[in-house]
Amino acid sequence: DTAVSQTPKYLVTQMGNDKSIKCEQNLGHDTMYWYKQDSKKFLKIMFSYNNKELIINETVPNRFSPKSPDKAHLNLHINSLELGDSAVYFCASSQVRGNTEAFFGQGTRLTVV
Amino acid sequence: AQSVTQLDSHVSVSEGTPVLLRCNYSSSYSPSLFWYVQHPNKGLQLLLKYTSAATLVKGINGFEAEFKKSETSFHLTKPSAHMSDAAEYFCVVSASGGSYIPTFGRGTSLIVHP
């Protein structure tokens, strides 16, 4: 069983569209994250969600919105996609704040054309 | 606040020679430190972690790292590089009591020559 799974793995879409990326973890973790990896491989936190507490990176445009229907899922919805949104997006989860490692999904490569 | 600095963006070694990837961290709280590896077009795999137990940490594939509080460092080493070690390596810090969100360094690309 995959611990953290993301769908889709690849997503190609036109500017202006709205899209969602789904993430599910079967590890029973309390905390989930979304990271964006840019073309230089840098991974930057976008959101952290822990027991209904949402922490937002203030540099993330409000076109991006996380949605968590339950503890095992943290989906990422993106409105009005722009060329600069093209990147690889990683979902992750961890058990205890700061003490244990985060487990990562395989990533979603988003290409906006 | 917490941050990570990976001192080299690229490291090039010959197969069979030692590997050293350098990482310095900053944290207002006792940190947990991790090294992850990312092979091309793949996800992130945990190599090893330090969470306030032994300062010398052994990981997978022959890698190890030493936590040095006085130097605020957590360098990754391997005695003998293999071609399959060529990948991007990330040093990560998180800390209970502070920003628990794992914070990544900018990564070091390890190049292994035959």
Side-chain angles (χ1 to χ4, degrees), chain A residues 46-62:
Chain A
M46 300 177 69
F47 303 103
S48 168
Y49 203 92
N50 181 71
N51 287 332
K52 301 184 181 180
E53 179 187 3
L54 176 64
I55 298 175
I56 300 172
N57 183 328
E58 294 179 355
T59 65
V60 176
N62 58 16

PDB file of all heavy atoms in Angstrom, chain A residues 46-62:
ATOM      1  N   MET A  46       3.827  25.321   1.256  1.00  0.00           N
ATOM      2  CA  MET A  46       2.686  26.133   0.878  1.00  0.00           C
ATOM      3  C   MET A  46       1.671  26.160   2.009  1.00  0.00           C
ATOM      4  O   MET A  46       1.192  27.214   2.416  1.00  0.00           O
ATOM      5  CB  MET A  46       2.025  25.571  -0.374  1.00  0.00           C
ATOM      6  CG  MET A  46       2.920  25.518  -1.592  1.00  0.00           C
ATOM      7  SD  MET A  46       2.096  24.763  -2.991  1.00  0.00           S
ATOM      8  CE  MET A  46       0.881  26.003  -3.393  1.00  0.00           C
ATOM      9  N   PHE A  47       1.323  24.963   2.488  1.00  0.00           N
ATOM     10  CA  PHE A  47       0.320  24.847   3.540  1.00  0.00           C
ATOM     11  C   PHE A  47       0.698  23.719   4.490  1.00  0.00           C
ATOM     12  O   PHE A  47       1.312  22.742   4.109  1.00  0.00           O
ATOM     13  CB  PHE A  47      -1.063  24.501   2.958  1.00  0.00           C
ATOM     14  CG  PHE A  47      -1.569  25.466   1.939  1.00  0.00           C
ATOM     15  CD1 PHE A  47      -1.518  25.161   0.594  1.00  0.00           C
ATOM     16  CD2 PHE A  47      -2.113  26.674   2.327  1.00  0.00           C
ATOM     17  CE1 PHE A  47      -1.990  26.049  -0.351  1.00  0.00           C
ATOM     18  CE2 PHE A  47      -2.590  27.580   1.392  1.00  0.00           C
ATOM     19  CZ  PHE A  47      -2.519  27.251   0.046  1.00  0.00           C
ATOM     20  N   SER A  48       0.243  23.901   5.741  1.00  0.00           N
ATOM     21  CA  SER A  48       0.321  22.824   6.718  1.00  0.00           C
ATOM     22  C   SER A  48      -1.048  22.738   7.380  1.00  0.00           C
ATOM     23  O   SER A  48      -1.655  23.761   7.693  1.00  0.00           O
ATOM     24  CB  SER A  48       1.393  23.120   7.751  1.00  0.00           C
ATOM     25  OG  SER A  48       1.287  22.220   8.830  1.00  0.00           O
ATOM     26  N   TYR A  49      -1.531  21.526   7.581  1.00  0.00           N
ATOM     27  CA  TYR A  49      -2.876  21.337   8.126  1.00  0.00           C
ATOM     28  C   TYR A  49      -2.793  20.283   9.213  1.00  0.00           C
ATOM     29  O   TYR A  49      -2.401  19.150   8.976  1.00  0.00           O
ATOM     30  CB  TYR A  49      -3.808  20.866   7.009  1.00  0.00           C
ATOM     31  CG  TYR A  49      -5.263  21.161   7.265  1.00  0.00           C
ATOM     32  CD1 TYR A  49      -5.837  22.338   6.806  1.00  0.00           C
ATOM     33  CD2 TYR A  49      -6.071  20.254   7.942  1.00  0.00           C
ATOM     34  CE1 TYR A  49      -7.170  22.618   7.021  1.00  0.00           C
ATOM     35  CE2 TYR A  49      -7.406  20.527   8.163  1.00  0.00           C
ATOM     36  CZ  TYR A  49      -7.953  21.703   7.699  1.00  0.00           C
ATOM     37  OH  TYR A  49      -9.280  21.972   7.918  1.00  0.00           O
ATOM     38  N   ASN A  50      -3.158  20.670  10.439  1.00  0.00           N
ATOM     39  CA  ASN A  50      -3.060  19.767  11.576  1.00  0.00           C
ATOM     40  C   ASN A  50      -4.310  19.898  12.429  1.00  0.00           C
ATOM     41  O   ASN A  50      -4.526  20.935  13.036  1.00  0.00           O
ATOM     42  CB  ASN A  50      -1.821  20.101  12.402  1.00  0.00           C
ATOM     43  CG  ASN A  50      -1.659  19.172  13.581  1.00  0.00           C
ATOM     44  OD1 ASN A  50      -1.342  18.008  13.413  1.00  0.00           O
ATOM     45  ND2 ASN A  50      -1.880  19.681  14.778  1.00  0.00           N
ATOM     46  N   ASN A  51      -5.108  18.822  12.450  1.00  0.00           N
ATOM     47  CA  ASN A  51      -6.300  18.806  13.301  1.00  0.00           C
ATOM     48  C   ASN A  51      -7.132  20.075  13.169  1.00  0.00           C
ATOM     49  O   ASN A  51      -7.411  20.768  14.146  1.00  0.00           O
ATOM     50  CB  ASN A  51      -5.914  18.591  14.757  1.00  0.00           C
ATOM     51  CG  ASN A  51      -5.478  17.171  15.006  1.00  0.00           C
ATOM     52  OD1 ASN A  51      -5.899  16.252  14.321  1.00  0.00           O
ATOM     53  ND2 ASN A  51      -4.623  17.000  15.997  1.00  0.00           N
ATOM     54  N   LYS A  52      -7.459  20.393  11.964  1.00  0.00           N
ATOM     55  CA  LYS A  52      -8.295  21.532  11.623  1.00  0.00           C
ATOM     56  C   LYS A  52      -7.584  22.880  11.747  1.00  0.00           C
ATOM     57  O   LYS A  52      -8.191  23.925  11.579  1.00  0.00           O
ATOM     58  CB  LYS A  52      -9.584  21.555  12.445  1.00  0.00           C
ATOM     59  CG  LYS A  52     -10.448  20.308  12.269  1.00  0.00           C
ATOM     60  CD  LYS A  52     -11.747  20.419  13.028  1.00  0.00           C
ATOM     61  CE  LYS A  52     -12.587  19.165  12.852  1.00  0.00           C
ATOM     62  NZ  LYS A  52     -13.870  19.246  13.579  1.00  0.00           N
ATOM     63  N   GLU A  53      -6.321  22.860  12.065  1.00  0.00           N
ATOM     64  CA  GLU A  53      -5.562  24.110  12.106  1.00  0.00           C
ATOM     65  C   GLU A  53      -4.810  24.254  10.788  1.00  0.00           C
ATOM     66  O   GLU A  53      -3.955  23.439  10.467  1.00  0.00           O
ATOM     67  CB  GLU A  53      -4.575  24.110  13.264  1.00  0.00           C
ATOM     68  CG  GLU A  53      -3.727  25.378  13.342  1.00  0.00           C
ATOM     69  CD  GLU A  53      -2.637  25.276  14.396  1.00  0.00           C
ATOM     70  OE1 GLU A  53      -2.517  24.195  15.008  1.00  0.00           O
ATOM     71  OE2 GLU A  53      -1.928  26.265  14.592  1.00  0.00           O
ATOM     72  N   LEU A  54      -5.137  25.306  10.074  1.00  0.00           N
ATOM     73  CA  LEU A  54      -4.504  25.535   8.787  1.00  0.00           C
ATOM     74  C   LEU A  54      -3.484  26.643   8.928  1.00  0.00           C
ATOM     75  O   LEU A  54      -3.788  27.731   9.420  1.00  0.00           O
ATOM     76  CB  LEU A  54      -5.552  25.925   7.737  1.00  0.00           C
ATOM     77  CG  LEU A  54      -5.017  26.288   6.353  1.00  0.00           C
ATOM     78  CD1 LEU A  54      -4.347  25.085   5.715  1.00  0.00           C
ATOM     79  CD2 LEU A  54      -6.147  26.811   5.486  1.00  0.00           C
ATOM     80  N   ILE A  55      -2.278  26.351   8.495  1.00  0.00           N
ATOM     81  CA  ILE A  55      -1.228  27.368   8.506  1.00  0.00           C
ATOM     82  C   ILE A  55      -0.861  27.653   7.060  1.00  0.00           C
ATOM     83  O   ILE A  55      -0.519  26.751   6.302  1.00  0.00           O
ATOM     84  CB  ILE A  55       0.000  26.892   9.285  1.00  0.00           C
ATOM     85  CG1 ILE A  55      -0.385  26.647  10.741  1.00  0.00           C
ATOM     86  CG2 ILE A  55       1.134  27.906   9.185  1.00  0.00           C
ATOM     87  CD1 ILE A  55       0.697  26.060  11.582  1.00  0.00           C
ATOM     88  N   ILE A  56      -0.980  28.886   6.698  1.00  0.00           N
ATOM     89  CA  ILE A  56      -0.781  29.276   5.309  1.00  0.00           C
ATOM     90  C   ILE A  56       0.520  30.045   5.165  1.00  0.00           C
ATOM     91  O   ILE A  56       0.812  30.937   5.943  1.00  0.00           O
ATOM     92  CB  ILE A  56      -1.952  30.158   4.837  1.00  0.00           C
ATOM     93  CG1 ILE A  56      -3.269  29.372   4.962  1.00  0.00           C
ATOM     94  CG2 ILE A  56      -1.742  30.620   3.401  1.00  0.00           C
ATOM     95  CD1 ILE A  56      -4.494  30.215   4.701  1.00  0.00           C
ATOM     96  N   ASN A  57       1.284  29.696   4.137  1.00  0.00           N
ATOM     97  CA  ASN A  57       2.438  30.491   3.785  1.00  0.00           C
ATOM     98  C   ASN A  57       1.923  31.754   3.105  1.00  0.00           C
ATOM     99  O   ASN A  57       1.247  31.688   2.086  1.00  0.00           O
ATOM    100  CB  ASN A  57       3.343  29.692   2.850  1.00  0.00           C
ATOM    101  CG  ASN A  57       4.598  30.437   2.504  1.00  0.00           C
ATOM    102  OD1 ASN A  57       4.613  31.657   2.429  1.00  0.00           O
ATOM    103  ND2 ASN A  57       5.664  29.710   2.279  1.00  0.00           N
ATOM    104  N   GLU A  58       2.264  32.882   3.665  1.00  0.00           N
ATOM    105  CA  GLU A  58       1.675  34.128   3.195  1.00  0.00           C
ATOM    106  C   GLU A  58       2.089  34.492   1.780  1.00  0.00           C
ATOM    107  O   GLU A  58       1.469  35.341   1.153  1.00  0.00           O
ATOM    108  CB  GLU A  58       2.032  35.260   4.157  1.00  0.00           C
ATOM    109  CG  GLU A  58       1.415  35.092   5.534  1.00  0.00           C
ATOM    110  CD  GLU A  58       1.789  36.210   6.473  1.00  0.00           C
ATOM    111  OE1 GLU A  58       2.605  37.058   6.069  1.00  0.00           O
ATOM    112  OE2 GLU A  58       1.276  36.220   7.591  1.00  0.00           O
ATOM    113  N   THR A  59       3.128  33.846   1.284  1.00  0.00           N
ATOM    114  CA  THR A  59       3.541  34.165  -0.078  1.00  0.00           C
ATOM    115  C   THR A  59       2.739  33.390  -1.121  1.00  0.00           C
ATOM    116  O   THR A  59       2.902  33.615  -2.315  1.00  0.00           O
ATOM    117  CB  THR A  59       5.034  33.857  -0.273  1.00  0.00           C
ATOM    118  OG1 THR A  59       5.236  32.450  -0.143  1.00  0.00           O
ATOM    119  CG2 THR A  59       5.877  34.585   0.750  1.00  0.00           C
ATOM    120  N   VAL A  60       1.887  32.486  -0.659  1.00  0.00           N
ATOM    121  CA  VAL A  60       1.092  31.708  -1.604  1.00  0.00           C
ATOM    122  C   VAL A  60      -0.112  32.530  -2.062  1.00  0.00           C
ATOM    123  O   VAL A  60      -0.865  33.036  -1.236  1.00  0.00           O
ATOM    124  CB  VAL A  60       0.607  30.392  -0.961  1.00  0.00           C
ATOM    125  CG1 VAL A  60      -0.301  29.625  -1.918  1.00  0.00           C
ATOM    126  CG2 VAL A  60       1.795  29.534  -0.546  1.00  0.00           C
ATOM    127  N   PRO A  61      -0.305  32.678  -3.362  1.00  0.00           N
ATOM    128  CA  PRO A  61      -1.467  33.442  -3.850  1.00  0.00           C
ATOM    129  C   PRO A  61      -2.776  32.818  -3.380  1.00  0.00           C
ATOM    130  O   PRO A  61      -2.865  31.595  -3.194  1.00  0.00           O
ATOM    131  CB  PRO A  61      -1.337  33.322  -5.373  1.00  0.00           C
ATOM    132  CG  PRO A  61       0.094  33.003  -5.627  1.00  0.00           C
ATOM    133  CD  PRO A  61       0.553  32.195  -4.450  1.00  0.00           C
ATOM    134  N   ASN A  62      -3.773  33.650  -3.174  1.00  0.00           N
ATOM    135  CA  ASN A  62      -5.036  33.114  -2.679  1.00  0.00           C
ATOM    136  C   ASN A  62      -5.802  32.341  -3.744  1.00  0.00           C
ATOM    137  O   ASN A  62      -6.904  31.847  -3.474  1.00  0.00           O
ATOM    138  CB  ASN A  62      -5.901  34.224  -2.069  1.00  0.00           C
ATOM    139  CG  ASN A  62      -6.192  35.335  -3.061  1.00  0.00           C
ATOM    140  OD1 ASN A  62      -6.005  35.164  -4.265  1.00  0.00           O
ATOM    141  ND2 ASN A  62      -6.640  36.470  -2.577  1.00  0.00           N
TER     142      ASN A  62
END
